[in-house]
Amino acid sequence: MASSQSAAATAHSFNKILSQPKASKSKRSGDIDDGTKKLRRMILVEGIPSAADPTLRPRIWKILLRVEDLSAATFLQYVSRGPCEVREKIRNDTFRTLATDRGFKERVREDMLVRLLDAFVWRNHDRQETQQLGFTYVQGMNVLAAPFLYTMPSELEAFFCFAKFIEESCPLYVQPTLEGVHRGLKLLDRCLKIVDPELFAHLRMKNLSAEIYAFPSVLTLCACTPPLDQVLQLWDFLLAFGVHLNVLCVIAQLLLMRDEVMSSSSPMRLLRTFPPLEALPVIGIAVTLVRDLPADLYDELVRHPYDIQNQ
């Protein structure tokens, strides 16, 4: 009973922050207002009590992503154009998206995913001239879209959140070469070597680099590891503090299975499928790992999902 009471109290605290009037628009767009800082702190300390108030997560995600413009006319105009040029590629992936998750399948139909991804391709088809980076559909995008369709109350909100997330938080993860993903994997090896040289050496001895065992976890920001409710909790943290931290969240999962990996003669058998995700311990470990990294390496980590100059 106490836990449901405390969840209700936490929900009340979140609602209080959300109901505060927004700061004036005169602030620079890069500035983070006090309300957002409070939200971030509460996400880290308390977590979003979705069971107590299911409206909280979608409202908070929209604030963290700074999604304000929800133009139904724009979205419907993309949708009305029908299949985009890579529809076949999209359809090859969408039916597999979180296929083992019954709750996801009940809430998100395949046609919703297809429609969102088609619309995203059309949006960027129209904006090619004005953007430094172009976007089309690439592998893994279906899994990155899934949490938004599951969480948001409408396809419209899911579309604009997904678009903002891809274009601003991790644009290099969805380039045709998956450049950001490969950078993330190289950084994972470098970070692991610093935070746990023994585990790093053991994996290296077995010829295991992050490219081999961590590709799905980095590509999908851990959304490939069930259960979905834990993925959403982890994404609360990533949206609040930065998707770059996903690399440390993957290391955290390795550290949680460290003893088994170290004593295994073929660790790849264990690493092929990570154990069910537990968001809280993973976040707790990831936060402590930040302190162990040299400043220049952490800076590289921060910039790897989006910075074109950071080659």
Side-chain angles (χ1 to χ4, degrees):
M1 185 67 198
S3 67
S4 69
Q5 277 178 337
S6 65
T10 305
H12 178 71
S13 303
F14 270 112
N15 274 307
K16 219 166 133 184
I17 298 169
L18 292 170
S19 63
Q20 282 169 359
K22 279 209 183 113
S24 69
K25 291 275 186 206
S26 61
K27 295 184 89 173
R28 290 202 316 275
S29 61
D31 287 349
I32 293 160
D33 61 55
D34 289 343
T36 306
K37 282 181 185 158
K38 278 184 197 160
L39 281 179
R40 282 173 158 184
R41 197 162 49 242
M42 280 195 67
I43 286 166
L44 193 58
V45 176
E46 306 279 356
I48 299 174
S50 273
D53 183 349
T55 73
L56 284 174
R57 179 169 282 130
R59 287 152 67 204
I60 291 167
W61 281 18
K62 279 189 284 188
I63 288 169
L64 295 172
L65 289 163
R66 298 194 174 128
V67 170
E68 284 154 12
D69 175 33
L70 292 168
S71 164
T74 305
F75 178 58
L76 291 171
Q77 191 251 322
Y78 297 141
V79 170
S80 69
R81 283 152 81 171
C84 68
E85 70 261 26
V86 285
R87 162 63 76 85
E88 213 166 306
K89 203 174 167 191
I90 290 172
R91 285 301 300 270
N92 279 342
D93 290 341
T94 47
F95 75 93
R96 288 192 285 251
T97 309
L98 308 189
T100 56
D101 192 290
R102 196 127 119 257
F104 177 77
K105 287 285 171 206
E106 282 168 10
R107 194 181 296 189
V108 180
R109 297 185 316 276
E110 189 189 354
D111 64 287
M112 291 160 70
L113 257 175
V114 171
R115 200 160 34 243
L116 181 145
L117 294 166
D118 265 337
F120 180 74
V121 174
W122 282 123
R123 168 188 167 94
N124 285 286
H125 182 272
D126 290 357
R127 302 168 80 205
Q128 273 164 358
E129 282 70 49
T130 59
Q131 286 179 313
Q132 211 173 352
L133 287 170
F135 298 93
T136 182
Y137 177 77
V138 296
Q139 171 195 6
M141 237 184 217
N142 56 314
V143 184
L144 293 174
F148 293 107
L149 279 166
Y150 185 83
T151 298
M152 291 296 149
S154 69
E155 286 182 51
L156 174 71
E157 288 157 285
F159 171 75
F160 282 106
C161 287
F162 171 74
K164 192 88 184 271
F165 175 69
I166 291 293
E167 291 159 12
E168 292 189 11
S169 300
C170 55
L172 297 182
Y173 271 52
V174 295
Q175 293 306 300
T177 57
L178 304 179
E179 185 193 339
V181 178
H182 294 298
R183 274 193 205 177
L185 290 160
K186 287 193 181 79
L187 284 161
L188 198 156
D189 281 328
R190 287 167 62 196
C191 293
L192 183 62
K193 191 175 183 178
I194 287 167
V195 301
D196 195 332
E198 196 188 353
L199 178 57
F200 175 79
H202 178 68
L203 292 171
R204 263 294 140 100
M205 204 172 65
K206 307 282 183 186
N207 288 323
L208 290 177
S209 65
E211 282 276 354
I212 295 166
Y213 66 80
F215 182 78
S217 298
V218 173
L219 174 75
T220 66
L221 305 175
C222 290
C224 61
T225 307
L228 183 56
D229 68 312
Q230 296 298 303
V231 170
L232 298 178
Q233 228 175 311
L234 186 71
W235 275 38
D236 295 338
F237 169 68
L238 297 178
L239 292 178
F241 295 96
V243 296
H244 63 281
L245 290 166
N246 181 59
V247 167
L248 301 183
C249 290
V250 180
I251 291 178
Q253 289 171 81
L254 287 178
L255 296 179
L256 286 168
M257 55 198 288
R258 184 184 194 278
D259 294 349
E260 294 89 335
V261 171
M262 289 298 288
S263 58
S264 171
S265 55
S266 60
M268 191 56 204
R269 207 173 294 163
L270 290 170
L271 297 173
R272 196 166 286 125
T273 310
F274 277 26
L277 186 63
E278 290 179 84
L280 285 181
V282 165
I283 292 165
I285 293 168
V287 168
T288 64
L289 293 177
V290 172
R291 294 193 286 255
D292 296 337
L293 300 179
D296 57 340
L297 178 57
Y298 184 69
D299 182 57
E300 234 181 292
L301 187 66
V302 169
R303 289 157 29 154
H304 88 272
Y306 64 82
D307 189 355
I308 309 165
Q309 269 70 53
N310 189 25
Q311 301 291 355

